[in-house]
Amino acid sequence: MSMFILSDDSSSDSPSTSGRVHTRIDYSKALNQEQLDVVLHGDGPCLVLAGAGSGKTRTLVYRVAYLLEQGVDPSQILLLTFTNKAAREMLSRVSGLIGTEAKGIWGGTFHSIGSRILRRFATDLGYTSQFTIFDSDDSRDLIKAVMKDLSIDPKARRFPSASVVQDVISYARNVQMRVDEVLEDRYPNFFAFSGDIEEIARQYQQRKKSANAMDFDDLLANLALLLDHSSPHCSLLITHYRYILVDEYQDTNTIQARIVHGFARVHQNVLVVGDDAQSIYAFRGADIKNILGFPEQWPNTKIFRLLTNYRSVPEILDLANESLSHNVNQFEKELVGMHAHGEKPKLIPCASTSQEAHYIAEQILVLRAQGLALHNIAVLFRSSAHSQALEFELMKRDIPYEYRGGQKFFERAHIKDVMAFLRVANNPQDEVAWMRVLGLQSGIGASTASMLATQAKTFTALPEILAVDVDTFVPSRGRAGWQDFHKLATNMLAQGPGPAEMIRAVCKSHYQDYLQREYPNWRERLEDLEQLALFAEGYDEITAFLTDMALYDDVVAKREETGERVDQERMVLSTIHQAKGLEWNTVFVIHLADNAFPNRRALSEEGGMEEERRLFYVAITRAQHRLFLTYPMTMGYDTLMFNQPSTFIDEVSPRLFERIELRESWKNQDPRTRNQAEDEGWEEPSIQLEDQTPRRTSFLRDIDEL
């Protein structure tokens, strides 16, 4: 992908003949009819609706090869993707087809293409060509500096953290909204600070410019400026590129769609490939209207459909097709499978999250014994909070796994925060826990936290510490923070010896305000903490719970230190968002309970329910041969909650599933569960409510070696 220097005659249609390969590709042999139509007739505005597993990458690769064989100068082809890996793969495959003729194609992400062009024209926008590109950490550090200069202290004013401010500014630029509109839509609790945040955004932009630096959003925004009619080099840019090809168009945001339109508006040869059924990134600013409205934006658009699926057995596709038919805002399409018939998707109602985890682990071991490699198995979930019980079960059974979509459950900062509160309640001599807890309080810095932790070690119980007047050794600026902690700790201890309600007391305290200030995804973090509380309901007292958590961390740390299993295969645990574009022989989609999947927040958002259904569609179309769908019918112990199956299960025909009933009657189990179920009119399932009694003392006690 060597850089070319644009010149006034660079829009010439004359092909470069050096390095020509004279062997022509037999496209009719290499492609099916759907793909062939795109490759041969992809001139002008074209929308390619590429269903899951339909060979969209292959189609794009052969379209580029075809253009080159037709004599198009490679430097006049622009291929826009969402990852550099995808661009490299496509260009490598093109080179494999036609050799050196492919050299010079412009391919990469929107950001990388923007960077390369902006290096050439930076002076038009007031930068030099040596401008710095800020990464996310750089951007956040500069925002912190701006906030400090404006005398904004997030802890003191309950103001959003630099990370949240960064998210607001970035989202606003990508979707082309005002800051106050983003706050009203996404952060209504911070709307009162809209004026301050707008000033931060203004100064942040000004200071980047004075530092001759651009962040990732600038790469898009400034590229869009260059493509505007008012830009002195606009004509040169938009006439040079004759063919624009865009992958994953359903994931574009407002400014990316604007860039595509800018590049293509002269020659009108714009071919976008995507699947509206897999548009699942609205939370990042992706706008499904870009793909749905493409034919209106580009008159005389040709619409192609790639519906032949090479991935999944027909039984899985039947479920996918029927589920998606419930969406209204979509291009109608139905995937057709090329595999022989296989197994129906299995639907397994489970008595509890622990039984769900137990069943999945058992099935994984059975599949491995039958010869299926672990790396061909994936467990997918809507929220990272849903993986906790399964992670424990896999640890118990020594099943190696790779976690995708973030950190493993007990490595997450908010989990460690709440565990630290429980640790100081259990052991006031725990200096490390004190440092973490006090560091979360307003006005308490490291030195004050260290002083207080030292004082705490002289007491044997937390109530004794709370009874002491600490004004004598807590600086005035830290007293409000100590009072917040005092109130939180008092409420936490009032809940009794069980860890579950202690966790919930922390979540209902000012710690929730802290999460909102610090993290753009604070709601997901609260969901994680509720899952932790539900799990903790299996413990009568805090010591056993903390012991299990510590032993879990110790086992993980020991394995990481010794490099254990580095060369062994692992199954995959992944959020569905992270799994998009991937496939496995066998897939488990878990926690398919109402208000969990679909996510309850989605129900209150415009288009949210349809996006959740598309997410379900993405999940099930990752499976090639086996698909397991599970959900817990109950959650919790003391606060037992009953779940209905997901809407996505109820709304499709039962004939699409093989229903697996787990054995024995729950009426023979825990009397607490039986009585509460009868009071609420719960109908009896043919399923054993196992792992609910007796209450846990230590989940690691049966492991032979730690």
Side-chain angles (χ1 to χ4, degrees), residues 169-182:
I169 294 171
S170 177
Y171 188 87
R173 297 196 75 194
N174 279 279
V175 301
Q176 305 284 271
M177 292 171 64
R178 298 193 314 269
V179 164
D180 62 322
E181 292 173 330
V182 173

Side-chain angles (χ1 to χ4, degrees), residues 19 21 68 94-103:
V21 175
L68 294 172
V94 172
S95 295
L97 287 173
I98 63 174
T100 57
E101 191 174 359
K103 187 176 182 181

Side-chain angles (χ1 to χ4, degrees), residues 216-236:
F216 292 143
D217 301 326
D218 290 322
L219 297 178
L220 300 184
N222 288 334
L223 176 58
L225 285 175
L226 286 177
L227 295 171
D228 281 347
H229 292 285
S230 58
S231 169
H233 293 290
C234 170
S235 177
L236 179 61

Side-chain angles (χ1 to χ4, degrees), residues 429-502:
Q429 282 75 46
D430 188 338
E431 182 177 0
V432 173
W434 272 113
M435 292 294 291
R436 188 176 192 106
V437 164
L438 293 172
L440 297 170
Q441 312 309 316
S442 176
I444 296 181
S447 59
T448 302
S450 178
M451 182 193 311
L452 289 171
T454 301
Q455 292 290 329
K457 290 166 69 175
T458 64
F459 296 89
T460 59
L462 185 58
E464 296 176 15
I465 300 170
L466 299 178
V468 174
D469 181 4
V470 295
D471 284 355
T472 56
F473 58 88
V474 176
S476 57
R477 61 187 176 84
R479 288 171 190 167
W482 176 261
Q483 289 170 2
D484 284 341
F485 169 75
H486 191 285
K487 182 178 179 181
L488 184 160
T490 301
N491 290 339
M492 183 174 65
L493 293 174
Q495 306 306 314
E501 290 310 312
M502 286 187 175

Side-chain angles (χ1 to χ4, degrees), residues 2 18 166 244 264 285-286 334 363 382 388 450 515:
S2 60
S18 61
Q166 179 184 27
I244 314 299
E334 189 163 304
Q363 293 304 307
R382 171 62 181 86
Q388 178 211 5
S450 178
L515 289 178

Side-chain angles (χ1 to χ4, degrees), residues 585-637:
N585 175 286
T586 299
V587 170
F588 296 81
V589 184
I590 67 171
H591 223 80
L592 276 163
D594 210 26
N595 286 326
F597 192 7
N599 182 284
R600 70 185 68 185
R601 291 197 314 277
L603 304 181
S604 61
E605 297 172 354
E606 182 182 358
M609 186 62 174
E610 294 209 349
E611 175 149 337
E612 290 290 297
R613 190 177 286 109
R614 294 193 295 270
L615 195 60
F616 178 64
Y617 172 88
V618 167
I620 60 183
T621 54
R622 301 309 94 196
Q624 297 169 328
H625 297 290
R626 297 183 191 88
L627 176 64
F628 295 82
L629 306 173
T630 68
Y631 69 93
M633 294 189 295
T634 65
M635 291 179 64
Y637 293 83

